[in-house]
Amino acid sequence: MLDEMVFRSDDVPVADRFDYWAELLGRTHAPMELRSDYADDFRASQRVLDLGAVTAWRAVFQPVVFRRTPKLIRQSDPETYHLCLVVRGTGSCVWRHRETQYKPHDLFINSSTLPNDVHSTGDPVTTVALDIPKALMPLPRDVTRRIVGVPVSTREGMGALLARFLTQLSADPAAYQPSDGPRLGTVLTDLVGALFAHLLEAGDCLPPETHRRTLTLRIQAFIREHLHDPQLTPASIAAAHHISTSYLHRLFRDEDATVAEWIRRRRLEAARRDLTDPALHATPIQTIAARWGFPRATDFSRAYRAAYGTTPKDHRHQALHRHK
């Protein structure tokens, strides 16, 4: 299981709950002034995951106002970017250069260096958040201001890619070992870099290696969205991203798979998921195979056996039998 710190307001006396949570936020995020109409008996829970240089956390809490003042910034600045996915509730944030409203499925980007007031509403509020050192995402100050406060939808594109990964990670930390933490932190850093590049539409603001990873992540997201297309090939992917096929293959050298292998793995994973889904037990195997880019039954069966050591039919039978 990943290294984590868990706080629940019920674990401390009623009179101490609000101040204790404020102290916890100061240690795991950045010192802030907090105000709440519920401070007398504050209800909150928080799980903080240690991912090396990166920290991810999920929090459920009653409405509160967070204030990061110039004085607090001078006293203590961890120099981090803070990305917060609103799962439940609404909110707003005010900076000197921008005021933004947030609702569920929005991702809001903040900086520990900029004074701000965040107002949350909803009972309770639920968020999934991520803190990344600015040293891992070096951007000029004027560029940072262009990103901070921009509302990002997580229903599509790079926002959706980051939100899915972060949500799944925070929901099931027991699926990983402590040694996985830094690797997961690296993945999240790359995803944030890709999102920033997308928002800025200026990849030259990022270091060359991050820019390369940004492009790779964009391509992988494109592949996932087009797995159903039997015409998805390295040539068509390269053309869609305005790069040469040879450069596409170079990008995948660090992925432990060629482009074609990466596509096949994702297609087989998707087909396997559908085959073992009890809700799809009546859907013919070939229909599922064709849905995920395998129009020929023999090609699908051969690839499936090579990947999982069994036929699609036998695997489905065994999986569905266990559900009974």
Side-chain angles (χ1 to χ4, degrees), residues 27-69:
R27 287 189 279 118
T28 60
H29 174 47
M32 291 175 286
E33 294 179 358
L34 270 63
R35 301 193 312 273
S36 175
D37 293 338
Y38 301 84
D40 290 342
D41 184 9
F42 194 69
R43 303 285 177 172
S45 65
Q46 185 168 341
R47 170 181 286 157
V48 183
L49 299 176
D50 180 2
L51 306 176
V54 176
T55 302
W57 41 287
R58 182 181 183 90
V60 181
F61 53 93
Q62 291 180 298
V64 67
V65 177
F66 307 88
R67 192 173 188 216
R68 185 97 169 114
T69 65

Side-chain angles (χ1 to χ4, degrees), residues 22 78 119 161 177 189 198 203 226 242 253 261 270 275 280 287 297 301:
H119 299 252
L161 190 63
Q177 298 297 322
T189 300
H198 173 74
H226 294 82
H242 309 290
R253 284 178 181 170
E261 288 170 345
L275 286 172
L280 300 176
T287 299
S301 183

Side-chain angles (χ1 to χ4, degrees), residues 12 16 23 39 61 65 80 87 135 187 283:
V12 298
D16 298 335
E23 179 187 351
F61 53 93
V65 177
T80 58
V87 178
V187 173
T283 304

Side-chain angles (χ1 to χ4, degrees), residues 45-168:
S45 65
Q46 185 168 341
R47 170 181 286 157
V48 183
L49 299 176
D50 180 2
L51 306 176
V54 176
T55 302
W57 41 287
R58 182 181 183 90
V60 181
F61 53 93
Q62 291 180 298
V64 67
V65 177
F66 307 88
R67 192 173 188 216
R68 185 97 169 114
T69 65
K71 181 179 179 180
L72 286 173
I73 293 171
R74 289 193 299 270
Q75 291 175 347
S76 176
D77 184 8
E79 297 190 354
T80 58
Y81 288 112
H82 175 70
L83 293 90
C84 181
L85 171 64
V86 181
V87 178
R88 180 177 177 180
T90 60
S92 63
C93 190
V94 180
W95 298 267
R96 290 175 181 172
H97 68 293
R98 179 178 286 131
E99 180 175 351
T100 308
Q101 304 291 322
Y102 299 97
K103 59 185 182 302
H105 305 292
D106 282 348
L107 182 76
F108 106 83
I109 303 170
N110 206 346
S111 164
S112 65
T113 307
L114 298 178
N116 60 80
D117 282 25
V118 180
H119 299 252
S120 63
T121 58
D123 195 5
V125 179
T126 303
T127 63
V128 180
L130 177 68
D131 287 300
I132 294 183
K134 291 185 176 181
L136 299 180
M137 200 67 53
L139 296 173
R141 178 178 290 271
D142 60 326
V143 173
T144 296
R145 290 180 179 273
R146 289 170 55 191
I147 292 176
V148 167
V150 175
V152 179
S153 173
T154 60
R155 296 184 182 275
E156 60 184 6
M158 296 307 306
L161 190 63
L162 174 59
R164 282 197 296 267
F165 189 92
L166 184 57
T167 300
Q168 180 179 347

